[in-house]
Amino acid sequence: MATQEEVFKKLVSHCKEYGFVFPSSEIYDGLGAVYDYGQNGVELKNNIKRYWWMAMTRLHENIVGIDASIFMHPTTWKASGHVDAFNDPLIDNRDSKKRYRADVLIEDEMAKYDAKIEKEVEKARKRFGDAFDEQKFRETSPRVKENLDKKEALHARYAKAMNDNDLAELKQIILDYEIVDPVSGTKNWTDVRQFNLMFSTEMGSTADGAMKIYLRPETAQGIFVNYLNVQKTGRMKLPFGIAQIGKAFRNEIVARQFVFRMREFEQMEMQFFIKPGTELDWFAKWKQTRIKWHRALGLGDQKYRFHDHDKLAHYANAATDIEFEMPFGFKEVEGIHSRTNFDLSQHAKYSGKKIEYFDPETNESYTPYVIETSIGVDRMFLSVMCAAYNEEQLENGESRVVLNLPPALAPVKVCVMPLVKKDGLPEKAREIMNELKFDFNVQYDEKDSIGKRYRRQDAIGTPFCVTVDHDTLNDNCVTVRDRDTMKQERISIDKLHALINDKVSINNLLRKVAND
Ligand code: ATP
């Protein structure tokens, strides 16, 4: 059995080999934590974005979209707190010269206690066999309790240090717990320092006194500064939301794990404006709405969990992450935050404009509260790929690599193949393709054996292959092969469109999200 790390490595090379993700400017040896999406990657990514956009703006009549610029007036970032506080605590190891996030080193240490507990549980499961009562074991085992207590103790100390912004204490924790650099294996650490994650550049010529501006580190502020524009021109009534998809930039200290942590990435964010006092209800509702969106993809409900935040940002009064089980553990894919009226109030203060809502029901004006849902497109892409990637042993002794992608997200929906390159079969295959191409992303392939062509499509996750043979010219039927079951079925060409559509339509996913 391959370890999870090996599987992940294979996935990364698969992404490159099959045109999903390439290192940026690779001919110059790449650029750290920056990636380009290839011909298949961009299709998958676009499908994810479309699924999100439709779920937000079509399924909710009170949510509309915008597309704000990446550049914003620099005062935006003063008001939002990013200039002063968008920092990560960094620490260097003097031997390896590697840089780490101090908070991540400590969180990894905490995760070790969880791993120890799971090991105990697995050992006991083997020992007791069918009679094993997992819940009882977790509640009563002294070894489990000991690890839980140790984790709690570390957690309490860490949470306090983060909340107090106490960098010396973060270092002390690292020393006390004898956390070593995974590369050098030593404890030769520098002090912990704060590092601002925003990229800056200059606008205008330097002769005129150029203005320092930032590449946005989140898309949300583009929504906040347009709150009044959208509310007024759209005659929006509370509660209502504004959705946006766009690039964001962060000078991440430790950029590893492929597209999980990039310096240029894409976010899908929605700010939902509500009446103060209703935020906890809306927070709970959005948690449910969002988890349903994830689960509808069918990647496996057990792969998701909520992780509630202990360290709330100063403006937030509730926050949770939706985590997905990647080969390197459960990791944040989406954040849901109750942000109070912090952002709108700050922009009102810094701009001198009144940013309020007049409530016709109560005849009063107030600054709306906000629930935010914020998901990274690239992390979503990665979670879908991790869940989809499978190496299968087949009954005939062969093996195949298949991406069991949710059909609605698959880059190519169908590949049309003439059995041979002659006798009018290519013409017939192209005729079928020309009918289907208006609704689906279709490929045509006439090279190599049918078996090889199937493998190529399996590797990019194409749900259907359609083979045109000599009989097709007489009976107008084709052989349809299913990616997951590998079963073949002969059907009439007239029925092809409906068969494909039923499986790959994003609308079916949306119906699930809307009706369940
Ligand atoms: P992390 O703790 O992993 O750095 P975060 O809590 O800072 O993430 P948010 O500021 O809540 O992340 O951003 C919202 C979403 O944007 C995240 O859930 C994630 O999907 C995505 N995201 C954030 N940073 C990155 C990054 N460097 N690369 C890719 N996606 C990112």
Side-chain angles (χ1 to χ4, degrees), residues 230-245:
V230 175
Q231 194 268 320
K232 293 215 162 101
T233 58
R235 295 182 296 120
M236 309 300 287
K237 295 210 162 41
L238 247 53
F240 77 93
I242 305 178
Q244 174 169 224
I245 300 178

Side-chain angles (χ1 to χ4, degrees), residues 314-332:
H314 53 286
Y315 51 79
N317 64 3
T320 196
D321 296 334
I322 295 179
E323 295 185 336
F324 186 82
E325 192 177 14
M326 309 266 187
F328 43 92
F330 273 93
K331 296 286 169 190
E332 170 182 348

Side-chain angles (χ1 to χ4, degrees), residues 15 64 98 130 173 175 194 269 497:
C15 278
V64 293
K98 292 262 176 217
D130 285 347
I173 294 174
L175 295 180
Q194 289 291 23
E269 296 198 297
H497 188 283

Side-chain angles (χ1 to χ4, degrees), residues 19-296:
F20 283 89
V21 181
F22 308 123
S24 156
S25 29
E26 197 187 6
I27 56 167
Y28 297 105
D29 294 334
L31 183 66
V34 187
Y35 291 92
D36 297 341
Y37 285 82
Q39 66 278 17
N40 290 316
V42 68
E43 296 288 344
L44 172 52
K45 194 157 94 131
N46 282 344
N47 290 337
I48 291 172
K49 290 196 267 187
R50 195 152 152 260
Y51 175 39
W52 184 87
W53 187 260
M54 305 258 287
M56 284 296 175
T57 63
R58 295 266 180 97
L59 300 189
H60 303 276
E61 50 187 282
N62 57 351
I63 298 182
V64 293
I66 62 162
D67 183 19
S69 292
I70 287 169
F71 291 149
M72 300 183 69
H73 192 284
T75 309
T76 308
W77 306 110
K78 201 67 198 147
S80 68
H82 283 81
V83 171
D84 296 320
F86 193 51
N87 300 319
D88 275 342
L90 71 82
I91 188 165
D92 294 295
N93 183 275
R94 291 197 186 91
D95 298 322
S96 69
K97 308 268 184 288
K98 292 262 176 217
R99 180 159 286 181
Y100 297 89
R101 271 173 60 179
D103 54 334
V104 173
L105 286 178
I106 298 173
E107 279 173 15
D108 287 350
E109 186 68 18
M110 268 179 327
K112 284 187 190 160
Y113 293 115
D114 286 329
K116 279 186 190 158
I117 292 170
E118 293 316 308
K119 234 182 172 169
E120 289 296 329
V121 172
E122 284 320 305
K123 253 176 31 200
R125 190 192 308 283
K126 278 200 190 119
R127 195 160 7 112
F128 294 111
D130 285 347
F132 184 53
D133 180 343
E134 180 175 335
Q135 197 185 344
K136 194 163 167 215
F137 180 80
R138 284 182 188 274
E139 284 163 10
T140 53
S141 155
R143 300 286 286 271
V144 170
K145 184 170 181 321
E146 186 191 322
N147 280 303
L148 267 182
D149 288 349
K150 281 187 184 162
K151 183 183 156 196
E152 264 320 299
L154 172 55
H155 181 256
R157 220 177 131 184
Y158 163 65
K160 184 165 184 325
M162 289 295 280
N163 273 324
D164 297 348
N165 231 336
D166 187 344
L167 302 182
E169 169 68 354
L170 283 178
K171 175 164 184 193
Q172 201 52 50
I173 294 174
I174 289 173
L175 295 180
D176 290 351
Y177 279 81
E178 306 195 330
I179 296 176
V180 297
D181 174 356
V183 176
S184 66
T186 71
K187 291 174 262 179
N188 194 4
W189 297 111
T190 62
D191 285 344
V192 177
R193 307 186 295 292
Q194 289 291 23
F195 175 78
N196 193 288
L197 300 181
M198 280 200 294
F199 284 100
S200 63
T201 184
E202 283 175 359
M203 185 178 263
S205 76
T206 23
D208 301 341
M211 178 159 64
K212 179 174 177 182
I213 53 166
Y214 298 98
L215 302 190
R216 65 180 178 196
E218 62 175 29
T219 59
Q221 298 304 325
I223 294 179
F224 290 124
V225 301
N226 277 299
Y227 159 78
L228 279 181
N229 285 336
V230 175
Q231 194 268 320
K232 293 215 162 101
T233 58
R235 295 182 296 120
M236 309 300 287
K237 295 210 162 41
L238 247 53
F240 77 93
I242 305 178
Q244 174 169 224
I245 300 178
K247 288 273 178 135
F249 303 82
R250 295 182 188 178
N251 198 1
E252 298 280 0
I253 301 170
V254 186
R256 278 202 222 107
Q257 286 154 340
F258 197 36
V259 297
F260 182 81
R261 192 173 296 287
M262 299 156 91
R263 296 200 165 103
E264 172 178 344
F265 58 101
E266 209 164 356
Q267 290 185 314
M268 307 191 278
E269 296 198 297
M270 194 279 299
Q271 315 294 135
F272 199 68
F273 300 96
I274 53 174
K275 191 175 174 175
T278 63
E279 67 271 19
L280 292 182
D281 283 345
W282 279 112
F283 178 71
K285 271 195 196 133
W286 276 107
K287 271 175 81 169
Q288 289 319 310
T289 307
R290 292 304 304 146
I291 196 80
K292 210 162 145 184
W293 181 89
H294 285 277
R295 287 184 176 150

Side-chain angles (χ1 to χ4, degrees), residues 413-415 462-466 480-482 499-500 503-504:
K413 305 304 184 194
V414 52
C415 181
T462 307
F464 294 109
C465 290
V466 168
V480 178
R481 183 256 195 187
D482 182 285
L499 177 92
I500 298 166
K503 187 128 180 196
V504 309

